[in-house]
Amino acid sequence: MSLERVHDMNAEPDPILIAQKLTKLYGDRIGCRDVSFSLWPGEVLGVVGESGSGKSTLLRCLAGIDRPTGGEVMFRHADKPISLFDIPEPTRRKLMRTEWGIVHQNPRDGLRMDVSAGGNVGERLMDRGDRHYGKIRAAAIDWLTRVEIGEDRIDDRPRQFSGGMQQRLQIARVLVPEPRLVFMDEPTGGLDVSVQARLLDLLRVLVRDLGIAAVIVTHDLAVARLLTDRLMVMKDGAVVEEGLTDQVLDDPQHAYTQLLTSAVLAA
Amino acid sequence: MTMMLKAEGLTKQFVLHNQGSVTLPVFAEVSFTVERGEAVILHGQSGVGKSTLLRILYGNYRPTLGHVHVRHGGDFVDIVTATPRRVLEARRKTLGFVSQFLRVIPRVKTIDIVKDPMLARGVTDDEASRRAGDMLARLNLPERLWSLAPTTFSGGEQQRVNIARSFVDPSPVLLLDEPTASLDATNRDVVVELIDEARKAGSAIVGIFHDEAVRDRVATRRLDLTAYRAAA
Amino acid sequence: MNTPHHDPDYNFGYLDEQTKRMVRRALLKAIAIPGYQVPFGSREMPLARGWGTGGIQITAALIGPADTLKVIDQGADDTTNAVSIRRFFERVSGVATTELTEDATIIQTRHRIPEKPLEAGQILVYQVPQPEPLRKLEPSEAETRKMHAWAEYGGMYVRLYEDIARYGHVATTYSYPVLVNGRYVMSPTPIPKFDNPKMDDMPALQLFGAGREKRIYAIPPYTSVKSLDFEDHPFTVQSWTEPCALCAANDSYLDEVITDDRGGRMFVCSDSSYCEDRRAKGHVGKELATAEALAYVGHVEGGSDVA
């Protein structure tokens, strides 16, 4: 192995996202509490826990949708860390449309249902200023193909699609501006098992090929095992255990994680 | 001699919090080193913790105490304390784990599964294709299967795909968990040859084999875990 | 031109002076920020909202005794709504009214920009039913304000994209969105896109009032107004294969008129003043005689002799 490669391996790149003591309170009720972690480019972090554990609250704070009560979210932009809730709202909105994306559990929350598939994918390009119809359409076709939606469906509206197709369309819409960070909230929830498998495989390949960092919130440990590199287990708003995904699932240390992993047949 | 792996004071006990916090001690204070070109075979009766130890070396289980230093590039990574991304990087480039089971990735072609680790290490696509083909042929997997996803293959065929993937470009540190189990004699011999070639090419190997004949052919050294058995 | 008397039971221009001042302040702000929608305290008027109260309030706040007012609806001076609004201002202000574009100082309109180019010093007042061009994309007012504030206009192009994908061209023909002064996307009210190019760099002042939605916006004279389009699908206006059947104009916006119950029809200028002016100058369309026989147009001096 050459010296250069050795050097490369040891050089620590900067994290793309840092959460520091992130806390969200709803009055007296705790949404999430003191959550800290760093996420590096190309890394996929899973957040698991039962409903009400605070994982969705955490995701909304990380993605800039909800303002946390305490703590900070730092996002690396133009080689500098910026504090997500200290920057002006228009800058944050622009980042949300260009540098990161959100895949919602329900495709209806992430799609324009009365706009064609091509328009849904193309909107993100028009958002960033693309004004050439032919190029926008070509990019839309490319992305529809990548998520295995036939080119002949480009002018159909999402309501004419099955649930799995709608979810794939949403993923294409999120990934077309080539974001560096993607948040996914139960991306396979509400889909049939066979449809889920196809979607998971697609997500795995896309995340790997594009080298994007991702935070995936799920209650499904099988999804977490297939898609994530490491895992945070949440309970009552706090992280009770974190580590390599296979280690957390195969040798859980915390009582709650042991309960969670034993509650399923084979994750 | 180049030390590739150093296990230091490994102790493991499982604590089952939801069963009255019962503690199951497995072994204590296991320390050993493995050099380049060595094959250390773990020994001891069932329940002595061979599989548990192998999984700790890979970072899949967390030891209660102790460290696992693996030579990764220019220096050593402690698999126990390193960040998850360092462990994943070490697994991608240095630390391989081979069991008899292929973790099936749906819809990916057999040939691509075998090429994948080489591509991740920077081998060109052409060379990776050539070497993957040679390896699958050597393991007697018919060429008509190469372009199919192994989801529908028999257990034995899947096992050979997994072996091909693991040995086509063997990791500097190889952890083997019964890779020959349930293979027929012909293919078992091929696997033994592959292990031997990997070792002679410089891989440091730690393995578990139930088949005494295979064990004898592969081992350069044995490590009996019985001596480290923890007092229950 | 006639000069009626101001009904003394009403304040000049109908609105009280405080209200006029409030509307003028909104107008000044709108002129200062071209294309930006300024909220204003829209008043109840003696006709239902949706019938042009926004435009009427602007005209009422601006009009002075020396002004000459022209009112058009669907391009014509003689439609019911135009006649009613003109009569209203005759009664409450007593100002002179006209049908001739060049004679007017204030022109209140709903669906058209007159064909005759407007000049410096003239004011064009539009009645606006729906001022928000982003409304079809985004129902929340709070959100559309943010989209304007930060010029997040990608979604507007989705509408154009959808048209091209479905019909091969942009099918939107009315209220075609424009970018004003390179900054705000604005709805030009339901004028045909044929009129959009007239808004660009116009010497006259353009004011827009939406009574129900309580918004005023403006385009100062000589301001850039660009219709949204794609590089490879540039903006185009409607065109007709035939000239006006009455005055033979081939540069005006034409309306289809049904002439009998056997499918007879003709295309005529929607700007009645422009058409009459041309006929008065001797231009003759090929169905003018038929139209006169049907009494669709009056006997116009000069034009009728040449059959």
Side-chain angles (χ1 to χ4, degrees):
Chain A
M1 210 174 263
S2 75
L3 273 176
E4 203 184 331
R5 283 188 68 182
V6 170
H7 179 75
D8 260 353
M9 283 197 317
N10 293 335
E12 194 78 346
D14 295 300
I16 184 170
L17 186 75
I18 301 173
Q20 281 167 351
K21 295 194 143 305
L22 211 53
T23 298
K24 176 77 181 175
L25 305 174
Y26 299 100
D28 291 342
R29 202 165 59 76
I30 293 167
C32 64
R33 185 180 50 189
D34 283 342
V35 179
S36 300
F37 68 89
S38 296
L39 184 72
W40 278 266
E43 206 178 21
V44 182
L45 171 70
V47 183
V48 297
E50 295 165 316
S51 44
S53 62
K55 56 193 197 307
S56 291
T57 302
L58 174 65
L59 193 81
R60 293 178 65 82
C61 290
L62 292 173
I65 301 168
D66 285 351
R67 182 175 283 273
T69 316
E72 222 175 358
V73 180
M74 307 288 287
F75 178 71
R76 193 161 192 86
H77 171 64
D79 238 24
K80 281 199 298 285
I82 53 172
S83 176
L84 203 52
F85 293 95
D86 286 348
I87 55 173
E89 192 180 353
T91 313
R92 186 162 63 243
R93 284 165 69 105
K94 190 169 179 198
L95 287 175
M96 285 171 78
R97 286 196 314 270
T98 54
E99 303 244 320
W100 70 83
I102 302 170
V103 176
H104 298 270
Q105 175 176 3
N106 188 341
R108 283 164 193 278
D109 296 334
L111 292 173
R112 289 191 188 279
M113 298 305 283
D114 54 351
V115 165
S116 70
N120 265 291
V121 177
E123 178 172 1
R124 286 286 169 260
L125 301 175
M126 296 182 246
D127 276 345
R128 70 173 187 201
D130 289 20
R131 295 290 180 264
H132 191 285
Y133 174 84
K135 288 178 188 164
I136 291 164
R137 195 160 170 91
I141 289 170
D142 177 42
W143 271 97
L144 291 177
T145 311
R146 286 170 88 161
V147 298
E148 300 170 15
I149 295 174
E151 189 181 333
D152 58 327
R153 303 300 303 270
I154 188 170
D155 295 326
D156 291 346
R157 294 180 182 192
R159 60 180 91 258
Q160 295 164 269
F161 289 179
S162 67
M165 262 177 105
Q166 286 181 1
Q167 195 57 299
R168 278 181 275 134
L169 178 62
Q170 189 193 185
I171 288 163
R173 178 176 155 98
V174 168
L175 295 183
V176 68
E178 299 184 6
R180 298 192 298 139
L181 176 59
V182 172
F183 299 98
M184 302 188 200
D185 187 7
E186 303 277 6
T188 60
L191 297 177
D192 290 346
V193 176
S194 62
V195 178
Q196 266 191 30
R198 187 174 177 198
L199 189 73
L200 285 172
D201 183 50
L202 185 75
L203 278 174
R204 198 183 54 79
V205 170
L206 288 173
V207 167
R208 190 195 59 192
D209 288 357
L210 299 170
I212 45 186
V215 179
I216 299 176
V217 160
T218 181
H219 70 279
D220 188 332
L221 300 184
V223 168
R225 188 189 282 279
L226 199 60
L227 289 182
T228 69
D229 299 321
R230 64 192 171 96
L231 219 51
M232 294 200 311
V233 182
M234 289 189 74
K235 183 181 191 301
D236 300 332
V239 175
V240 295
E241 183 166 356
E242 60 185 307
L244 270 172
T245 296
D246 61 86
Q247 194 182 81
V248 171
L249 294 179
D250 293 341
D251 187 15
Q253 308 290 311
H254 191 276
Y256 178 70
T257 318
Q258 289 185 355
L259 194 67
L260 209 61
T261 52
S262 64
V264 288
L265 293 175
Chain B
M1 299 270 271
T2 311
M3 189 175 70
M4 295 301 288
L5 183 144
K6 181 182 183 188
E8 204 184 340
L10 291 175
T11 298
K12 179 65 179 175
Q13 54 187 39
F14 290 103
V15 182
L16 307 180
H17 292 286
N18 299 298
Q19 292 170 41
S21 289
V22 62
T23 301
L24 304 174
V26 186
F27 46 70
E29 296 287 331
V30 179
S31 297
F32 63 98
T33 60
V34 187
E35 310 283 336
R36 234 173 99 86
E38 265 200 303
V40 175
I41 303 308
L42 302 182
H43 205 69
Q45 285 184 340
S46 175
V48 80
K50 300 187 292 289
S51 232
T52 298
L53 177 59
L54 209 61
R55 283 165 174 262
I56 287 173
L57 298 181
Y58 191 60
N60 179 230
Y61 283 3
R62 174 175 284 274
T64 311
L65 290 169
H67 299 278
V68 177
H69 303 283
V70 171
R71 182 183 293 277
H72 175 57
D75 52 6
F76 282 88
V77 175
D78 181 0
I79 296 298
V80 178
T81 56
T83 61
R85 45 192 298 275
R86 281 287 275 171
V87 175
L88 288 172
E89 190 192 82
R91 286 181 181 177
R92 193 158 51 242
K93 292 178 176 156
T94 303
L95 189 60
F97 191 97
V98 190
S99 74
Q100 57 178 305
F101 303 107
L102 174 68
R103 206 167 243 299
V104 183
I105 309 165
R107 301 197 305 157
V108 180
K109 288 183 205 168
T110 295
I111 188 91
D112 289 338
I113 291 175
V114 178
K115 279 164 68 178
D116 190 55
M118 287 187 281
L119 297 178
R121 289 170 184 163
V123 177
T124 65
D125 193 70
D126 280 355
E127 197 197 332
S129 298
R130 186 182 54 74
R131 286 167 63 183
D134 289 351
M135 183 55 72
L136 287 168
R138 195 169 162 192
L139 282 158
N140 305 305
L141 203 77
E143 195 167 344
R144 64 184 160 79
L145 297 181
W146 298 0
S147 59
L148 303 178
T151 323
T152 55
F153 291 7
S154 72
E157 285 163 345
Q158 288 193 7
Q159 190 177 353
R160 280 178 279 150
V161 173
N162 193 37
I163 303 259
R165 172 184 166 85
S166 307
F167 284 94
V168 71
D169 185 29
S171 302
V173 177
L174 265 178
L175 309 173
L176 309 179
D177 189 1
E178 304 234 36
T180 56
S182 74
L183 284 182
D184 62 52
T186 314
N187 283 311
R188 193 179 57 224
D189 284 346
V190 176
V191 177
V192 170
E193 273 169 38
L194 289 172
I195 295 170
D196 232 31
E197 284 169 24
R199 185 182 60 74
K200 284 175 180 149
S203 288
I205 292 168
V206 181
I208 304 170
F209 294 93
H210 280 161
D211 184 327
E212 190 62 42
V214 171
R215 204 149 50 190
D216 288 343
R217 287 168 62 189
V218 169
T220 62
R221 192 149 61 91
R222 291 182 186 219
L223 177 71
D224 193 339
L225 283 186
T226 315
Y228 301 98
R229 202 154 186 181
Chain C
M1 219 184 286
N2 52 1
T3 41
H5 292 289
H6 164 212
D7 182 338
D9 288 344
Y10 293 97
N11 189 37
F12 181 85
Y14 183 78
L15 294 176
D16 63 89
E17 296 303 314
Q18 283 301 327
T19 300
K20 286 186 193 176
R21 247 176 250 141
M22 177 272 293
V23 174
R24 287 177 200 145
R25 274 197 298 273
L27 285 168
L28 287 172
K29 184 171 179 183
I31 292 164
I33 316 171
Y36 171 72
Q37 297 169 46
V38 181
F40 81 112
S42 181
R43 295 293 188 257
E44 294 295 332
M45 297 299 283
L47 74 167
R49 285 185 168 157
W51 288 82
T53 62
I56 292 171
Q57 288 178 78
I58 290 179
T59 299
L62 290 176
I63 204 159
D67 274 311
T68 304
L69 178 70
K70 170 180 163 78
V71 181
I72 48 176
D73 189 72
Q74 304 285 0
D77 298 79
D78 54 2
T79 52
T80 313
N81 209 22
V83 169
S84 303
I85 294 172
R86 189 163 56 231
R87 263 204 222 130
F88 170 76
F89 279 110
E90 283 170 351
R91 180 168 173 200
V92 300
S93 71
V95 301
T97 58
T98 181
E99 296 194 358
L100 294 177
T101 299
E102 62 270 30
D103 286 350
T105 56
I106 299 174
I107 301 168
Q108 181 167 330
T109 183
R110 182 166 190 196
H111 301 98
R112 289 299 317 280
I113 297 175
E115 303 293 0
K116 187 178 262 280
L118 299 184
E119 291 164 8
Q122 290 185 300
I123 298 175
L124 185 58
V125 177
Y126 297 78
Q127 302 164 202
V128 179
Q130 172 51 265
E132 182 47 74
L134 303 172
R135 185 60 69 229
K136 278 186 194 161
L137 296 169
E138 176 53 61
S140 154
E141 174 69 19
E143 187 61 21
T144 52
R145 283 196 207 184
K146 286 180 180 179
M147 291 163 80
H148 281 298
W150 302 322
E152 295 174 358
Y153 292 137
M156 288 306 289
Y157 288 86
V158 174
R159 277 174 61 191
L160 306 185
Y161 170 94
E162 292 289 286
D163 271 6
I164 299 172
R166 199 151 303 148
Y167 311 109
H169 59 93
V170 177
T172 305
T173 52
Y174 283 85
S175 296
Y176 191 105
V178 293
L179 184 68
V180 178
N181 200 27
R183 176 58 184 83
Y184 285 98
V185 164
M186 190 197 91
S187 169
T189 89
I191 61 169
K193 66 177 183 174
F194 179 88
D195 286 342
N196 275 22
K198 296 178 188 168
M199 308 176 89
D200 184 33
D201 214 29
M202 185 191 275
L205 170 64
Q206 302 174 73
L207 304 174
F208 300 78
R212 186 185 49 216
E213 309 279 334
K214 302 181 173 64
R215 291 289 183 277
I216 281 174
Y217 49 103
I219 303 172
Y222 305 109
T223 300
S224 146
V225 178
K226 297 285 173 239
S227 302
L228 303 187
D229 63 2
F230 288 107
E231 290 158 20
D232 51 342
H233 283 265
F235 174 79
T236 55
V237 297
Q238 297 100 321
S239 59
W240 289 264
T241 50
E242 288 173 53
C244 171
L246 304 179
C247 75
N250 54 19
D251 59 354
S252 68
Y253 186 83
L254 303 183
D255 283 337
E256 182 181 4
V257 174
I258 306 296
T259 53
D260 54 40
D261 56 5
R262 298 182 301 277
R265 57 185 193 154
M266 57 183 172
F267 287 92
V268 304
C269 289
S270 95
D271 183 339
S272 57
S273 165
Y274 181 71
C275 198
E276 273 172 34
D277 187 42
R278 280 180 55 83
R279 295 194 312 266
K281 287 175 179 152
H283 298 282
V284 175
K286 67 177 187 196
E287 291 184 67
L288 181 58
T290 321
E292 279 174 356
L294 289 167
Y296 175 71
V297 287
H299 191 81
V300 179
E301 214 180 298
S304 58
D305 298 335
V306 195

